[in-house]
Amino acid sequence: MTALAEVPQTASTALYEKPPTSDTPNAAATKDAAAPQFSTFSSIEKKLYVYISSCAAFASPVSSSIYYPALNIIATDLHTTLANINLTITTYMIFQGLAPTIVGGISDRYGRRPAYLICFTIFIGANIGLALQTNYVALLVLRCLQSCGSSGTVALSNGVVSDIATRAERGRYIGYAALGSSLGPALGPIIGGLLAHFLGWRSIFWFLTIFAGFMLTIFVIFIPETCRNIVGNGSVPAQKWNISLMAYFRLRKLRKNCVPVSQETIQNKRRPGILSSLPILFEKESFLLLFYAGILYAGFYVIMAGLPAQLASVYNYNSIQIGLCYLPIGCGAIVARTIVGRAIDWNFRRHCRKLGIEIVKGKQQNIDTFPVERARLEVGLPLVYIGCAVFLPYGWVMSLPNPPLAAVIILLFLNAYVLSGSFQALNVLIVDCHPDSSAAASAALNLVRCLLGAGGVAAVIPLLDRIGSGWTGTMVTLIWVLMSGMWWAPMVWGPRWRAEKKIRQDATWARRESGQDVERAVPVEYGAVLGNERTAEAVEKGTG
């Protein structure tokens, strides 16, 4: 039986992602001080790449929402019912959840850039087909293919943030990355309404083709590989076939400036599998976080999908006017990305100060014994309860014979603000807890929320017809409140679950490398997280 040495760590030596292996605290501190930068990309480069990833993520929500104002027109032209056209939204969302599970795994294993190129190639082909098709079956099939091409871009944008931003600044960068996906629900209906009204509904898909072609060109020429499983902190060259023109000149500049190639910053020598997002769904902590996020998302889509029919029946609005009414939703989401992101980073720093942990700029923070769940969800959970208080009156206002438009617009803005803020806190937490497979973790979140969101879209019209808008809002609010305990549990037991998981993983990897049973000695700092009995139990589980 081989034993792995137990490594004593102080608060300062536990700061970075990879704890030192030296036996003396002074030597460990020296090693930490000399550790390479988390990212060799400059601040300007990091913001540029995140903003471009955000623009790419615009493809997924805009492809869904740009469609809403033209639903009635498409149903008439293709000689089918509105219920059948709504089915294309449901199937779009199903594939919007399924496709990123593969795209995220590809990006964590082979790189972000190849995944982007595959996504936009599929997206362009699907949009050309949608612009040219003439029957409902082709529309349904091609919408599924369109979803496969566009949906992975949201998970990829979160992966890029994980590659280049430390945990202390991740809330702000996740906000930048989410701007595109926030603009989609706001601008999509406006663009779709204008195009459908003046150029016909087919022009919607030609517009998306042009947008995708432009983004594909940007990634081919300008964007470098950022995946830490491939290029580490950006100093390690990517595969020869995966180097953009600008990345080639950047690497030459790094060598000219004698920046060392930091092979040790490659995050995971054992690259994740293509379907690595699926096991994440069955982890205790991840399951609770993701399932409740899906319930929130389903409720949000009750608003998104039900709004066109309600506006058309109550106010007799045309496609342009319906599109404009989505603008408050996008504005609320954009405001949330800026304010909530800063609040998330502030709360992380507050907990670090409370625990006596120093945050060093450009260095990653270790969260093995840090209550990161509390740091993130202390921002996200209050927003959920505020969302409940806003969603309830929205439902009853929309049930009035002549609801005041000003009240509807204000409530749409507030709903989008609080729900987008809570999603942002969760996105940061999911990436924090899965540093080796951040895109796959985001894809797992996308899978759950899109499948449950598809259920919300399918149920919204029957619910509105049967029990009305007021009772639908009441039902959604009660579900949100009663099931919010699914986020309270990780706040209490999350650090313990993560510690147990890490001990098991380390023992498994050690057995595979040595070919024999390995007893995993539990680090000293885990004792405070697990407790003596739980520590013994974790060791027993880790050794099988």
Side-chain angles (χ1 to χ4, degrees):
M1 175 93 52
T2 304
L4 297 181
E6 183 175 303
V7 182
Q9 292 182 335
T10 63
S12 61
T13 62
L15 179 60
Y16 305 117
E17 184 65 42
K18 292 184 178 180
T21 57
S22 173
D23 293 330
T24 63
N26 290 336
T30 302
K31 184 173 181 179
D32 281 339
Q37 287 289 108
F38 182 73
S39 177
T40 60
F41 296 109
S42 67
S43 178
I44 294 176
E45 286 177 318
K46 290 196 293 186
K47 289 179 181 178
L48 176 63
Y49 299 151
V50 170
Y51 278 129
I52 292 175
S53 298
S54 179
C55 291
F58 179 74
S60 180
V62 79
S63 298
S64 177
S65 61
I66 200 172
Y67 196 58
Y68 292 152
L71 294 180
N72 295 326
I73 301 172
I74 295 174
T76 301
D77 280 6
L78 297 183
H79 307 291
T80 188
T81 63
L82 186 59
N84 284 339
I85 297 298
N86 278 334
L87 183 61
T88 66
I89 300 176
T90 302
T91 54
Y92 180 95
M93 293 187 66
I94 291 173
F95 279 86
Q96 194 177 32
L98 294 175
T101 60
I102 298 175
V103 174
I106 290 174
S107 76
D108 286 331
R109 187 174 181 85
Y110 300 107
R112 314 294 183 212
R113 196 166 166 272
Y116 272 119
L117 300 182
I118 292 171
C119 284
F120 280 114
T121 300
I122 295 173
F123 189 54
I124 289 171
N127 281 307
I128 293 174
L130 283 164
L132 299 176
Q133 54 79 30
T134 57
N135 63 76
Y136 171 73
V137 175
L139 176 73
L140 183 65
V141 173
L142 288 169
R143 280 283 287 175
C144 295
L145 186 63
Q146 182 194 42
S147 179
C148 291
S150 66
S151 55
T153 55
V154 176
L156 292 177
S157 66
N158 288 338
V160 171
V161 171
S162 175
D163 297 335
I164 62 180
T166 64
R167 292 187 177 95
E169 58 186 359
R170 197 165 281 169
R172 182 161 37 96
Y173 274 91
I174 285 285
Y176 298 154
L179 284 175
S181 56
S182 301
L183 284 170
L187 297 183
I190 298 173
I191 297 170
L194 290 171
L195 290 173
H197 187 79
F198 292 107
L199 298 177
W201 62 267
R202 295 182 188 277
S203 63
I204 291 173
F205 301 111
W206 288 121
F207 168 82
L208 294 175
T209 301
I210 295 169
F211 166 77
F214 175 75
M215 293 305 305
L216 182 64
T217 304
I218 292 293
F219 277 94
V220 168
I221 299 176
F222 297 104
I223 304 302
E225 182 56 63
T226 62
C227 180
R228 299 187 69 84
N229 296 331
I230 307 294
V231 299
N233 65 356
S235 64
V236 181
Q239 311 96 318
K240 290 184 178 179
W241 52 268
N242 191 18
I243 298 179
S244 67
L245 181 62
M246 295 303 294
Y248 171 76
F249 289 115
R250 179 182 177 276
L251 288 171
R252 286 188 59 181
K253 182 179 178 181
L254 291 177
R255 301 300 165 261
K256 184 178 179 180
N257 295 335
C258 299
V259 176
V261 176
S262 303
Q263 292 284 351
E264 68 272 21
T265 63
I266 293 181
Q267 186 126 330
N268 189 5
K269 300 297 192 299
R270 312 168 187 84
R271 294 185 188 175
I274 292 178
L275 296 177
S276 56
S277 58
L278 296 182
I280 293 173
L281 295 172
F282 299 100
E283 298 172 4
K284 277 188 290 190
E285 182 175 22
S286 297
F287 175 80
L288 293 173
L289 292 171
L290 300 183
F291 190 78
Y292 187 64
I295 292 172
L296 291 175
Y297 197 71
F300 184 62
Y301 256 84
V302 168
I303 297 177
M304 294 290 292
L307 194 58
Q310 290 175 307
L311 293 174
S313 62
V314 174
Y315 300 108
N316 198 28
Y317 278 176
N318 59 32
S319 59
I320 297 177
Q321 292 169 314
I322 290 173
L324 288 172
C325 288
Y326 279 88
L327 196 57
I329 296 176
C331 292
I334 292 169
V335 173
R337 300 307 183 190
T338 304
I339 297 177
V340 176
R342 295 183 182 278
I344 292 170
D345 288 342
W346 172 84
N347 203 45
F348 185 90
R349 293 192 299 269
R350 183 178 71 85
H351 277 275
C352 285
R353 287 194 302 269
K354 185 177 178 181
L355 296 174
I357 297 175
E358 180 186 3
I359 296 178
V360 180
K361 185 176 181 181
K363 305 289 185 178
Q364 181 63 295
Q365 297 77 38
N366 183 281
I367 60 167
D368 287 345
T369 59
F370 182 83
V372 68
E373 293 85 0
R374 182 174 294 276
R376 306 310 191 189
L377 294 179
E378 280 178 348
V379 178
L381 261 173
L383 290 173
V384 169
Y385 293 123
I386 296 173
C388 294
V390 173
F391 196 92
L392 183 62
Y394 170 80
W396 287 106
V397 167
M398 290 301 293
S399 68
L400 298 174
N402 294 297
L405 184 60
V408 172
I409 290 174
I410 292 172
L411 288 171
L412 286 173
F413 173 87
L414 293 175
N415 270 297
Y417 176 84
V418 294
L419 291 175
S420 296
S422 63
F423 291 148
Q424 185 172 346
L426 178 67
N427 276 325
V428 177
L429 177 57
I430 288 296
V431 170
D432 284 341
C433 294
H434 300 88
D436 295 340
S437 52
S438 53
S442 297
L445 169 60
N446 200 67
L447 172 63
V448 174
R449 72 179 187 178
C450 286
L451 291 180
L452 292 179
V457 171
V460 60
I461 299 299
L463 281 173
L464 292 176
D465 290 342
R466 177 156 312 219
I467 63 175
S469 177
W471 286 110
T472 299
T474 302
M475 182 183 70
V476 171
T477 302
L478 286 174
I479 292 173
W480 284 355
V481 171
L482 293 175
M483 302 196 71
S484 62
M486 299 183 77
W487 275 13
W488 282 102
M491 286 182 64
V492 177
W493 296 295
R496 175 181 295 176
W497 292 340
R498 279 190 291 110
E500 293 172 352
K501 173 188 167 185
K502 185 172 178 60
I503 291 168
R504 290 194 300 269
Q505 285 181 338
D506 287 351
T508 300
W509 289 341
R511 281 200 302 271
R512 289 175 181 174
E513 290 180 351
S514 65
Q516 55 184 310
D517 287 341
V518 177
E519 180 179 348
R520 176 68 169 105
V522 181
V524 174
E525 64 271 17
Y526 285 154
V529 177
L530 297 173
N532 292 333
E533 295 181 1
R534 299 293 300 214
T535 301
E537 181 183 345
V539 173
E540 184 179 350
K541 289 181 179 179
T543 57

